[in-house]
Amino acid sequence: MNRKNLVVLPLPEFESEIGRWIWCLEDVRRTLLEKISGISQQYLDTELNGHSIGSLLYHIALIEADWLYEEVLGGKWNPKIRSLFPQEDRNQDDTLSHIEGQSLDEHLHRLQCVRDELLFHFRTMNLENWRASRSLPHYNVTPEWVIYHLLEHESHHRGQIFQMLAILKRQS
């Protein structure tokens, strides 16, 4: 019998506790990438329940970048990362902007660029900074909570994407 070993291990090059959280974040991304591997442009662009898989991928990347740059780093965006987001995240009615015609490779590139930035900044973080509260106009937030939130956020949208893929496959 091939027995699985279900454990969370800290990623190397990170403070141990931070590395465990980042491992979780990376595991959520890994399962998302496995599921969307090779999907068609039609699947990326088809709107179901008001959004498309492409729109959700854009949203996941933008929210990750926004929390990194605004909450953790105090609003200092890397211009290369900023340029990956030419469209606003939401429409005036608060629905997600429809992202259409961008290839899977473009979406994957955006997701990877943002994740590389996040890993870069968290790799050198110590536990004191990890738990240091940042004071923003409407709330105080720690990098630890940001990673928790990003795990929750991407997991939620990953579930939506998996449901959309199941519907699209049944329809084809």
Side-chain angles (χ1 to χ4, degrees):
M1 176 186 335
N2 191 6
R3 187 174 177 87
K4 290 183 177 183
N5 192 20
L6 303 175
V7 296
V8 173
L9 299 171
L11 292 178
E13 301 178 13
F14 290 85
E15 166 68 43
S16 183
E17 182 178 333
I18 298 168
R20 289 177 187 282
W21 281 89
I22 300 297
W23 182 94
C24 295
L25 193 65
E26 288 283 81
D27 193 59
V28 169
R29 177 65 54 87
R30 179 189 57 77
T31 59
L32 172 62
L33 296 179
E34 284 174 2
K35 194 71 143 182
I36 65 171
S37 176
I39 66 170
S40 70
Q41 191 66 47
Q42 180 183 350
Y43 281 13
L44 281 171
D45 293 343
T46 299
E47 282 189 81
L48 293 172
N49 298 321
H51 47 265
S52 67
I53 291 172
S55 297
L56 287 170
L57 294 174
Y58 186 92
H59 173 72
I60 289 168
L62 180 54
I63 294 307
E64 184 169 314
D66 189 69
W67 278 92
L68 171 65
Y69 289 114
E70 296 301 325
E71 278 73 6
V72 175
L73 301 176
K76 299 172 188 142
W77 280 70
N78 177 333
K80 288 182 184 178
I81 298 298
R82 191 74 185 116
S83 72
L84 297 172
F85 301 101
Q87 289 185 242
E88 291 296 320
D89 183 48
R90 295 192 175 271
N91 299 310
Q92 286 189 347
D93 64 359
D94 205 35
T95 58
L96 291 182
S97 296
H98 182 60
I99 307 299
E100 189 171 3
Q102 292 187 1
S103 70
L104 181 59
D105 285 344
E106 289 174 287
H107 286 292
L108 296 177
H109 174 74
R110 181 183 303 110
L111 286 163
Q112 190 59 56
C113 287
V114 171
R115 181 55 56 87
D116 288 345
E117 277 287 296
L118 183 138
L119 295 176
F120 172 79
H121 289 287
F122 278 84
R123 190 173 284 116
T124 58
M125 191 175 287
N126 61 33
L127 285 178
E128 183 180 349
N129 196 6
W130 170 249
R131 294 198 177 106
S133 189
R134 277 84 165 141
S135 182
L136 285 95
H138 301 290
Y139 50 83
N140 295 327
V141 64
T142 66
E144 181 178 35
W145 192 91
V146 167
I147 294 299
Y148 158 75
H149 176 68
L150 292 175
L151 271 162
E152 179 184 53
H153 181 260
E154 187 161 334
S155 295
H156 172 76
H157 291 308
R158 178 188 64 178
Q160 288 179 300
I161 290 168
F162 289 3
Q163 287 180 325
M164 293 171 74
L165 282 171
I167 291 166
L168 290 166
K169 288 176 181 177
R170 279 197 307 271
Q171 290 176 350
S172 42

